[in-house]
Amino acid sequence: DSGVTQTPKHLITATGQRVTLRCSPRSGDLSVYWYQQSLDQGLQFLIHYYNGEERAKGNILERFSAQQFPDLHSELNLSSLELGDSALYFCASSPRAELYNEQFFGPGTRLTVL
Amino acid sequence: AQSVAQPEDQVNVAEGNPLTVKCTYSVSGNPYLFWYVQYPNRGLQFLLKYITGDNLVKGSYGFEAEFNKSQTSFHLKKPSALVSDSALYFCAVRDNSNYQLIWGAGTKLIIKP
């Protein structure tokens, strides 16, 4: 158990809908990273938050947004969903803004868009 | 451009034999290198890392990795494979411009009894 929690575990929704994925980092970690894992794209970095502020953006679509709250949990919002958004979404946490050590991954949320 | 390559989509090894999963990288500045493992329907788990120091790094579950600066490689190794080692393995390097990880495509390791 990495100490990172993600909810929900599974999510099934329809095209055009909006969903919110939630992540709680390990106790004491200030950084949260979001990743998308799909069969054809592999593991893609989406966005990084540190202590409530956005630090870096990766291949995140404009339809997607994220935030990190004062209690350090983070939410990833996916809107106007398309079939191609079906994937596993992981969050990871680490203690600092700069990555000097490993990230700790949550179990993931499997999103299915029908 | 900074990148990570895992040249093999799949590696098949007999149980008890040594295994190697290959990784090469391209990065500006000093490389920070990582190996992660992903079991089916699970999140990624950290195996080992190279930051500085000895070129041979030891990690979890009996895995080790050899950093080779001249060949820009960081191959994952294990002297004797177990069936339970079957999983998806990812190599990653830190992008020193934004401190994010650049991930390889992953290598599926299959250990046959």
Side-chain angles (χ1 to χ4, degrees):
Chain A
D1 183 2
S2 67
V4 178
T5 61
Q6 287 187 251
T7 57
K9 200 168 183 176
H10 300 279
L11 199 49
I12 301 174
T13 188
T15 55
Q17 294 298 304
R18 172 190 170 96
V19 297
T20 298
L21 313 184
R22 182 188 170 104
C23 168
S24 293
R26 284 190 329 155
S27 177
D29 283 357
L30 299 180
S31 272
V32 170
Y33 308 79
W34 285 98
Y35 292 92
Q36 179 194 58
Q37 185 179 30
S38 59
L39 284 174
D40 56 344
Q41 296 284 334
L43 194 63
Q44 299 285 318
F45 164 66
L46 295 178
I47 198 164
H48 169 205
Y49 274 85
Y50 172 75
N51 203 21
E53 293 190 5
E54 182 184 303
R55 290 286 295 200
K57 267 186 174 178
N59 298 320
I60 188 166
L61 300 171
E62 286 192 10
R63 300 184 284 109
F64 296 0
S65 64
Q67 54 184 328
Q68 186 180 26
F69 294 87
D71 67 352
L72 301 176
H73 90 272
S74 178
E75 293 180 355
L76 179 67
N77 300 295
L78 316 176
S79 62
S80 302
L81 285 168
E82 302 175 359
L83 295 177
D85 297 327
S86 296
L88 262 173
Y89 291 85
F90 290 106
C91 78
S93 72
S94 69
R96 301 171 56 172
E98 298 82 18
L99 190 63
Y100 290 101
N101 290 292
E102 62 269 31
Q103 295 177 354
F104 296 86
F105 280 77
T109 293
R110 182 173 293 279
L111 174 65
T112 302
V113 182
L114 300 176
Chain B
Q2 304 185 89
S3 63
V4 174
Q6 293 182 243
E8 302 151 318
D9 290 338
Q10 182 169 310
V11 171
N12 298 298
V13 178
E15 187 177 26
N17 282 1
L19 68 87
T20 298
V21 182
K22 296 180 180 177
C23 173
T24 59
Y25 66 91
S26 173
V27 69
S28 302
N30 294 325
Y32 283 54
L33 295 154
F34 301 83
W35 275 103
Y36 285 79
V37 60
Q38 185 181 26
Y39 297 101
N41 300 313
R42 302 284 295 276
L44 279 71
Q45 295 177 36
F46 169 75
L47 276 180
L48 49 79
K49 66 187 176 191
Y50 173 83
I51 305 296
T52 186
D54 288 341
N55 290 341
L56 187 64
V57 178
K58 294 192 183 297
S60 307
Y61 312 121
F63 284 92
E64 56 190 27
E66 187 169 10
F67 170 65
N68 187 314
K69 188 173 183 178
S70 62
Q71 297 185 4
T72 61
S73 67
F74 189 55
H75 299 333
L76 182 70
K77 300 182 179 186
K78 188 172 182 181
S80 178
L82 300 173
V83 172
S84 58
D85 293 330
S86 298
L88 187 57
Y89 290 80
F90 289 95
C91 179
V93 66
R94 192 186 76 174
D95 181 335
N96 290 326
S97 66
N98 64 10
Y99 295 97
Q100 303 306 317
L101 289 182
I102 303 168
W103 295 85
T107 297
K108 186 175 184 179
L109 178 63
I110 298 177
I111 309 299
K112 297 187 176 177

